[in-house]
Structure formats: structure tokens, C-alpha cells
Amino acid sequence: MHFDNTGLLLFQLLIILSTVKFFGFLFKKINQPAVIGEIIAGIVLGPSLVGALFPTTFGFVFPKESIGTLQQLSQIGLLLFMFIVGMEFDMEKLKGTANQSLLVSSSSILFPFILGCIFAYFIFDETLPNHPSQFSFVLFVGISMSVTAFPVLIRILGERSMLQTPMGIFVTGVAAMVDVIAWVMLAAITTIVQGHSLISSIYQVLAIIALLLFSIFAVKPYLEKHFSDKAIIHPSSFSLVIICLLLFGLITSVIGIHALFGAFLAGIIMPEKNKIKEKLTHKIEMLTTVLFLPLFFVVTGLRTKVDLLNSPELIGLFVIVLLLAFGGKIIGTAIPARMTGKTWYQSWSIGVLMNTRGLMELIVLNLGYDLGVLPESLFTILTLVAIISTVLTSPLLDLISYLYRKELGKA
């Protein structure tokens, strides 16, 4: 059987979407977010399972020369996804919980970040394949261990009917603030990793400030005026939105920061009147989650090689990273939450929820991989940690609830 380039892409899409849908269905049956099954489907299709068991079939379905096309399409999916995340970002809710959640959100990201940096400092190897600087390596490992998957977290809260509870509202505010801090940190780290000189870095900062001012005082008012009397989003208006998304992605890419940051900013400045954000999300979300994000999961899966963990040293490293990631995030969130007056039950529950890494960490890891900072073995370890932390969120919440009820029963 022989395919031309278009035929091969269609065949790959058929295999990818069918597998992702099947795994998403399976994981929903066991009370897990479908996105976790979709992420695992990507790893199953990669060299860790299909590639190891059926190398000839794997080589036929995913020849090396086709990976670039899948990666580029996956990047379009990430831009659309970050645009949606930006639109779902509720600034008013962030303001409403800022006083309470500032301590918790700061500790939730800084404590695991510091632990990750210390850990990375001691495991840095000067013979790493892409020769990253130690400083870049340390910073990227730190940020990869400190993010929270805001969209997945919201879905878990919704599935557990916790979104409108006091704890759900508090966690949402904390996670939103962590999202902002994480993306600012990631933008700064990306700049450092790319090795810009002091002068170019100053120009870069000035360019970012100019973009922010331009978006707030020019683009946002224009969009609000354009959509002020529109109950329905027509194709011409939708084209304007897509142009804005692509323009912001292009500008941040030219500045030297990943296009994802531009997409996120474009989402934030979309007008809220007439439920424009909600309508745009409805138009974009289905195509993004059904078609484009599965490509990202598979690209991640193609980079994840579990068979690299083939020595006691690497397995031990995996266990250490897992413990540090869980401990840093949960303890770094629970203790300050308790200091704000939350009960221990609430505090540990908030810590577990903030330990949900999911898709956001995969984005960070792929960015680090593309920049040549993260070697394959550590990329694989951190990818597995991201999956495990998200899979265990619901079971750990159930365990905490069980232990809490048991303690009340004894009292």
C-alpha cells in the first residue's frame, strides 16, 4: 500500500482520532477526564508501545518525514487552545479572590519551582546532547514542575459539582493567578534560554510592554466597538478574530517569545459583551479539541520513549522527580491555604487540585524540548509525572474525603 502526502496525512488523522476517541471514552468510564485518556492515547501510538511492539507498522503509519507536518498542525491546535484559555480567563474572579489567594498562589508555584531548580542543579550533566546551559536547564525544570493545568482543573471541579462551592471558587482564583504567574515566568525563562544579549533583552521587554499597551488601548476598544451591536458572529467578524489571534502570535514570535503567549493575550482582550467570548469559544473549541489537540498528544507521544527508563538510576530519578513534584505542589499549596483559615481537609484538597498538571505541563515540556533544553530521558520522566499527577487527582480527593469523614466519625 502506498499513500501520497495527502493520503498519508488523512490516514494518520484517521488512526489518531479513532484511537484518541476510544481512550477518551474508556477513561470517562472510570471517572477520569477524557483528556487524560487522550494524552495516554498519544503515548500508546508512539514508540513506547506501538513502536516497540510493531516497529514496521509504526514506521509505515508515522514515517520520520511526516512528523514535521503533524507537529506544525499541532502548533495551530495549541494556538487555538491558548486562545480559548485566554477567553476563559476571568479577570473579575481573579480580582475577587486576590487578597485571599495571593499567598496560596505564590507559594503554589514558587515552592515547587525552587525544589525543581535545586534538583535540576544537582542532576545537570554537561554532556547533554543539545548542550544547554546549566542556568537554562535549571530554570526550565523548575517551571515544568510548578505549573497547574487550569482548563483540566476546571473540568474536574465541574464533574465533581464543586465549581460553585466556596472551595471551588477559591481554587479557581488560585489556579487563575498561578496561570498568570506561570506564563510570565515561562516568557522570561524562554527569553533567557534563547540567550539574548542584554541590549536585545531590553528591546524585547520594551516590545512586550508596547504590545500590551497596544492591545489594551487600541485593539480591545476596537473589538468592543465592533462587536457591541452583534448578537451573532458572522464570518467576516470571525475572520477578524482569527486575524487578531494570528497577528498576536506572529508578533510575540518575532519578539522572541513563543507564539502561544500572543494567542493567550489575544484571548484575554476579546470583548465580553453579548457573550462574545462564550460564542467564540463554542465555535473554536470543538474543532480544536476533536482535531488539533489529539495531534499535539501524538506528537508528545512520539517524543516520549518509556523504554529510555531502562536502568535503576533512571527509574530512581523518575521516583525522585515524582515525589518532588507531588510534595512540592501539594505541600506548597496546602500549608499556605491552612494559614488563610482553611480547614486541613480543604487545604489538602486544594493542594491535590493544584497538583493537576495535565496539558499545561505538556505544553511547557514540548517548548523545552523544542528549545533543546530538555533531553529525551528527562522529557519522558516529566511527561509521565504530568500524566500521573492528573490521573491521581480524583482518587486522591476521594481518599482525603474518606479520611476526613473517618476522622469525624471517631470524634
Side-chain angles (χ1 to χ4, degrees), residues 308-320:
L308 290 176
L309 308 184
N310 55 6
S311 69
E313 291 80 8
L314 285 174
I315 294 173
L317 187 67
F318 166 69
V319 172
I320 292 171

Side-chain angles (χ1 to χ4, degrees), residues 89 91 220 224 268 270-277:
F89 189 77
M91 294 296 290
K220 185 175 175 65
E224 288 177 344
I268 289 177
M270 286 295 119
E272 297 182 15
K273 288 184 178 180
N274 299 326
K275 297 184 177 180
I276 294 299
K277 284 188 176 182

Side-chain angles (χ1 to χ4, degrees), residues 13 22 48 76-78 93 127 187 200 218 261 306 326 349 365 410:
L13 290 176
F22 175 68
S48 297
I76 298 296
L78 286 186
K93 187 170 287 188
T127 63
S200 64
F261 303 108
V306 178
F326 271 64
S349 297
L365 295 178
K410 288 181 179 179

Side-chain angles (χ1 to χ4, degrees), residues 86-299:
M87 288 195 294
E88 291 180 342
F89 189 77
D90 192 340
M91 294 296 290
E92 292 303 318
K93 187 170 287 188
L94 181 60
K95 292 176 185 176
T97 59
N99 292 333
Q100 277 190 314
S101 60
L102 181 59
L103 171 65
V104 181
S105 58
S106 299
S107 178
S108 180
I109 194 167
L110 292 178
F111 186 63
F113 176 77
I114 292 170
L115 279 181
C117 287
I118 293 171
F119 167 75
Y121 176 82
F122 286 105
I123 68 165
F124 179 75
D125 185 352
E126 293 182 356
T127 63
L128 288 174
N130 294 306
H131 309 291
S133 70
Q134 185 176 33
F135 190 49
S136 300
F137 178 78
V138 165
L139 289 177
F140 235 98
V141 173
I143 192 66
S144 69
M145 291 178 68
S146 56
V147 296
T148 294
F150 182 73
V152 178
L153 173 61
I154 295 300
R155 284 166 175 76
I156 291 175
L157 288 172
E159 288 174 4
R160 299 178 71 91
S161 302
M162 294 173 63
L163 264 177
Q164 301 306 319
T165 65
M167 185 167 70
I169 294 171
F170 181 79
V171 172
T172 301
V174 171
M177 195 171 292
V178 165
D179 233 25
V180 173
I181 297 171
W183 284 109
V184 170
M185 288 175 65
L186 186 58
I189 290 169
T190 302
T191 302
I192 293 169
V193 168
Q194 291 175 327
H196 295 293
S197 66
L198 178 61
I199 297 298
S200 64
S201 295
I202 292 173
Y203 282 134
Q204 193 174 44
V205 171
L206 292 175
I208 294 168
I209 293 173
L211 177 61
L212 288 172
L213 294 175
F214 176 67
S215 64
I216 293 171
F217 295 106
V219 181
K220 185 175 175 65
Y222 173 77
L223 290 172
E224 288 177 344
K225 183 179 179 180
H226 178 82
F227 284 102
S228 61
D229 59 346
K230 289 179 171 55
I232 299 174
I233 300 176
H234 296 289
S236 59
S237 296
F238 188 66
S239 297
L240 177 64
V241 170
I242 298 300
I243 289 170
C244 180
L245 160 63
L246 296 176
L247 178 62
F248 272 62
L250 176 62
I251 291 173
T252 52
S253 180
V254 170
I255 289 173
I257 300 175
H258 201 282
L260 293 178
F261 303 108
F264 181 68
L265 178 59
I268 289 177
I269 64 171
M270 286 295 119
E272 297 182 15
K273 288 184 178 180
N274 299 326
K275 297 184 177 180
I276 294 299
K277 284 188 176 182
E278 183 179 327
K279 293 171 183 175
L280 286 173
T281 299
H282 179 72
K283 283 181 173 292
I284 296 172
E285 189 172 31
M286 188 171 295
L287 183 64
T288 302
T289 54
V290 170
L291 177 60
F292 286 111
L293 279 184
L295 297 180
F296 172 69
F297 298 145
V298 169
V299 169

Side-chain angles (χ1 to χ4, degrees), residues 8-9 12-13 16 61-63 65-76 292 295-296 298-299 302:
L8 177 61
L9 178 60
Q12 289 173 331
L13 290 176
I16 290 168
V61 177
F62 298 111
E65 60 271 17
S66 72
I67 304 304
T69 302
L70 291 176
Q71 186 172 355
Q72 292 303 316
L73 286 174
S74 75
Q75 291 301 306
I76 298 296
F292 286 111
L295 297 180
F296 172 69
V298 169
V299 169
L302 293 173

